[in-house]
Amino acid sequence: MENKWNFQGNGELKAAPGITIRGVLSNIMQNLNKDDQRPIIPLGHGDPSAFPCFRTSLSAEDAMVDSVRSGKFNCYSPSVGILPARKAVADYLSKDLPYKLSPDDVYLTIGCTQAIEVVLTAISLSNPVANILLPRPGFPFYDVRAACSNLEVRRYDLLPEQGWEVDFEALEELADENTVAMVIINPGNPCGNVYTSQHMKKIAETARKLGIIVISDEVYDHLTFASTPFVPMGTFGSIAPVLTLGSISKRWIVPGWRLGWIVTCDPNAILQQTGIMKSITGCLEVSTDAPTFIQAAIPQIIENTKEDFFLKIVEILRGAADICFDKLNEMPFITCPSKPEGSMFVMVKLNLSLLDDISDDVEFSLKLAREESVIVLPGVTVGLKNWLRITFACDHSSLEDGLGRIKGFCERHAKKE
Amino acid sequence: MENGNDYSHQKWNFRGNEELNTASISVRGVLNTLAKNLNSDDPRPTIMLGRGDPTEFAAFRTAPPAADAVSDALQSFKFNSYCPTGGVLEARRAIAEHLSRNLSVQLLPEDVYLTVGCTQAIEIIVSVLARPGANILLPKPGYPQYEARASFDHLEVRHFDLIPEKGWEVDLDSVEALADNNTAAIVVINPSNPCGNVFTYQHLEKIAETAKKLGIFVISDEVYGGLAFGSNPFVPMGKFSSIVPVLTLGSISKTWIVPGWRLGWIVKSDPNGILEKTGIVDSIKNYLDITCDPATFVQGAIPQIIKRTKESFFSNIIGIMREAVDMLYDMINEIPCLTCPNKPEGSMVVLVKLDLSALEGIDDDVQFCLELSKEESVIVLPGVTVGLKNWLRITFAVELEVLKEGLQRIKAFSQRHAKKQLEYQRQYPQRLSRSETNLRRRIMSECFLPGLQE
């Protein structure tokens, strides 16, 4: 007789809890044509680490090798991270702020991924009916983690015709007494925009008015290549409390190293006083930590990486953004509302009326993968149906190849007159 | 006019969570609290016997090929990217092959899910099982991270006993009495933390059969699987996977002495596909999709770490452990207020019983540890942290000279506090100072195993 088993998977987790970029791209990649001899052009994900031109700084690699070979950092780490690493990150971020961060303001995490996990979990536990405001289009991992924590999400729009700035009217209408925080991503993923100082000040003032925290996802910090410089949200931390999330993944092109941070940019110590930081440290206490030897390499990584490595990366991205914008503008089938100024992405609108047998962004992406071995991310993944998120963090010749194939694909599927 | 710094009328919409403020991983929290009672005027070095982390000792330095493997993986330029869900394929394959040596069924790479240490493996399993109304069975004494995580995820826990008189075997009657229709799984830690025993083949088989009868699966925490040095050989629970589905948790932390590298796994031993059918596997995969991963280059190093570490490294570590255990057992036996009913056969820790009747003015294990910390600069873990009041958990994964010194100081402390004549007792009553009372209250609040709070 068959044994009766009492267990089953967690209902919420049994079905995939939501759309993830990894999940969507993996589905699209299943549609690739194995017989196509041409190289796959990956314009869907935000990870250029496989391209030789994007190889991380050798000083950073050396620092990591030294750390593991020293044998001194094989031990457990405190839950908030080891002090030398926290201090190094505090000093590094303070360079761009009008005040000095202390190591106690820095909490090390396993990449920005864990930073998001911890902050959202802490907020969800603070109030069973809490809600947070997320940008649309945005980064779907926030939605997925919020769903996991039963944290209500409300989406405010970013305005494409205004360089993807925050729609303040919509924001204020959404907020209520249970709204705890708003998330901004700057430089923008998926939009590729960079906020001006004035705009960020207005964000801070709005947050202050609403009595909420600004969670500023700055994982693409300093990856700007147009006229607007990167300004950390913490600059306005005395207006409204700011939790800055970041990592070394993007600036150093090492997402596989998994080292990020949550930083309190809050000179008035509101986050401490209201007990939110205790919730965050409580979450960190019951969670696993970033490898100790990776943390230990941080001071050397930051100190030894020369400016010309960063300049080189920014140059490649600038050139790539130019190529991308120019080539996309040649295609009537795709509209690019604003030239990307930062991060690794651009949001472009599909003109489906000009295409024959393609009903939406998902179908576009699936067919593009099959027919041209080019991967792009359908915009529905990030909250804008019938748009596409295209990554330009690619070596230039692959990028040109990929964009050429997209053009060919569109022309082949163009509506006949 | 609004002033940037005027908060007198400012209302903020957010507050911390009181529940979370007090719940912390008990072991870490308790040890930190004990350390606060250290006497800063004591010139002697502090001896930490509270936690299994021997990385500071040269004798326990990890195998050189391990650091080489990590450097090579890093500099290969192949592992700087995000990894696929579940982990880098070569690493999953290497672990599958490595663990299959001790099993009757060959594991596949797909049966292996890489995690950020065994700590995250526990996080994942608990989240996967945390359906409303469900419960899991945990050993008492046990490893409090299970309780911490379960409390965090609102998963009910029920404790079954381990029987000291029977070498810390599982009280299978108490298991059957506790389980009901909502029980999902039983956690077994083998080799045992905190007890230090290694279960026999027969006993593990009985556990498997009991689990099957109850319709639950076994979570076998084998993080100390490479550290068995007594007469009982280590037998992986996966050997009984034809009887009952098994999820094995493990990591390289203890076997390679690298807890700071954060590389662990959940391994599925389930030839009958029951975990698939019941949705457990999908839940694990979906959770892995939305959580953080181990560093890609550490994963990339795994095949070489396993392949190039010589057997002599492991036998050397085992040799040190054996010597340490012998020394500890002998020295504990010389201390009248302490008994070690079961000489440890595995892991890095042992439970030692405190005979309070032989001591003067020490009311329980917490007080013992607080005063030991202050008077002798030695830190051991009070058993209440792991579910057994008035026992102590002591680590022996320590350099022999340091262990000897630590045990000598414990002996001196015990002698100093030994029960004297009644007259003397009346003249010199001993009390905890006020700060010690506060520290003690803090420790008790961090030990939230039910039925143990004062």
Side-chain angles (χ1 to χ4, degrees), chain B residues 103-263:
Chain B
L103 294 172
S104 10
V105 178
Q106 182 72 17
L107 292 169
L108 300 172
E110 306 80 89
D111 295 323
V112 176
Y113 307 100
L114 297 185
T115 62
V116 185
C118 203
T119 303
Q120 195 197 33
I122 295 172
E123 272 177 52
I124 294 169
I125 297 270
V126 168
S127 297
V128 161
L129 294 178
R131 283 181 304 119
N135 66 71
I136 55 165
L137 307 180
L138 298 180
K140 182 175 80 145
Y143 179 56
Q145 214 239 329
Y146 285 94
E147 283 82 355
R149 203 62 214 187
S151 165
F152 193 75
D153 285 336
H154 303 293
L155 172 64
E156 182 196 338
V157 310
R158 299 179 179 189
H159 289 97
F160 60 89
D161 293 310
L162 301 179
I163 309 171
E165 302 77 26
K166 281 200 196 163
W168 299 110
E169 285 194 338
V170 172
D171 179 350
L172 290 165
D173 291 334
S174 83
V175 170
E176 297 205 32
L178 286 170
D180 65 12
N181 286 336
N182 289 314
T183 306
I186 175 173
V187 170
V188 171
I189 306 175
N190 181 44
S192 169
N193 175 4
C195 309
N197 63 297
V198 174
F199 292 127
T200 61
Y201 183 101
Q202 294 81 347
H203 187 61
L204 290 170
E205 193 173 38
K206 282 217 188 88
I207 294 173
E209 284 163 358
T210 307
K212 173 174 178 168
K213 182 168 151 192
L214 298 170
I216 64 183
F217 71 93
V218 180
I219 296 165
S220 188
D221 184 331
E222 297 177 4
V223 76
Y224 287 103
L227 293 176
F229 40 77
S231 48
N232 261 337
F234 166 69
V235 176
M237 196 72 198
K239 273 249 201 246
F240 309 99
S241 59
S242 49
I243 302 176
V244 70
V246 177
L247 283 179
T248 303
L249 312 186
S251 81
I252 57 173
S253 301
K254 306 295 182 181
T255 320
W256 269 269
I257 321 286
V258 287
W261 290 17
R262 312 272 81 230
L263 197 302

Side-chain angles (χ1 to χ4, degrees), chain A residues 152-192:
Chain A
E152 182 195 339
V153 158
R154 299 179 178 190
R155 286 173 193 79
Y156 67 90
D157 289 311
L158 303 180
L159 303 167
E161 64 280 354
Q162 271 175 226
W164 301 105
E165 286 191 335
V166 171
D167 180 349
F168 287 109
E169 258 183 60
L171 188 79
E172 296 201 31
E173 235 166 89
L174 287 170
D176 66 13
E177 66 277 4
N178 290 312
T179 305
V180 169
M182 64 177 289
V183 171
I184 64 164
I185 305 175
N186 181 52
N189 176 8
C191 306

